[in-house]
Amino acid sequence: MAIRTPKIEIIGERCMRATWSGLLNGDVGAPIDWPAYMDRSAQVVGTFGAGGSVSIEGSNDGVNFAQLSNPRGNAMAVTAAGLEQIEDCAYSMQPRVTAGDGTTNLTVILFARKG
């Protein structure tokens, strides 16, 4: 397991984007702390491999992370490429690759806008 550091971009005055690249099976993205950014979405692209899954997690203490949910109330366990809005607001957020195989290689892009 490796901890991957995101590339952080400031977009205009109200938006931020974090990109974690090269996420392999078992990897976790270093958490980002963006409490002022309320409107958030996560996009996952790349090769999922057999059974590949990415969990989008949040924490209010920066230590104990739990799976966030989408607006339909479903846990954010992403198993195919796509874009999903994040319903829950947490102080810290991170992606975690929870399943996959030797071909799993994913990129997670988190976009956030100040409310």
Side-chain angles (χ1 to χ4, degrees):
M1 175 190 93
I3 297 174
R4 307 285 179 187
T5 302
K7 174 185 175 188
I8 305 291
E9 300 170 85
I10 299 170
I11 302 167
E13 295 179 13
R14 298 174 40 122
C15 298
M16 300 281 280
R17 179 171 47 205
T19 303
W20 293 268
S21 299
L23 293 167
L24 309 177
N25 186 16
D27 285 353
V28 63
I32 55 169
D33 300 336
W34 291 351
Y37 294 82
M38 304 303 290
D39 191 12
R40 304 167 180 182
S41 64
Q43 181 177 12
V44 181
V45 296
T47 303
F48 281 79
S53 182
V54 177
S55 175
I56 307 299
E57 302 175 335
S59 173
N60 287 333
D61 64 10
V63 176
N64 301 294
F65 283 83
Q67 218 169 24
L68 297 174
S69 60
N70 64 24
R72 294 176 304 284
N74 299 323
M76 297 214 39
V78 182
T79 58
L83 176 72
E84 188 77 54
Q85 184 176 355
I86 301 170
E87 178 71 15
D88 304 313
C89 180
Y91 183 83
S92 297
M93 293 176 295
Q94 68 183 22
R96 179 184 306 273
V97 181
T98 58
D101 61 17
T103 65
T104 301
N105 190 337
L106 299 167
T107 297
V108 176
I109 305 160
L110 182 77
F111 181 81
R113 179 178 61 191
K114 282 186 181 177

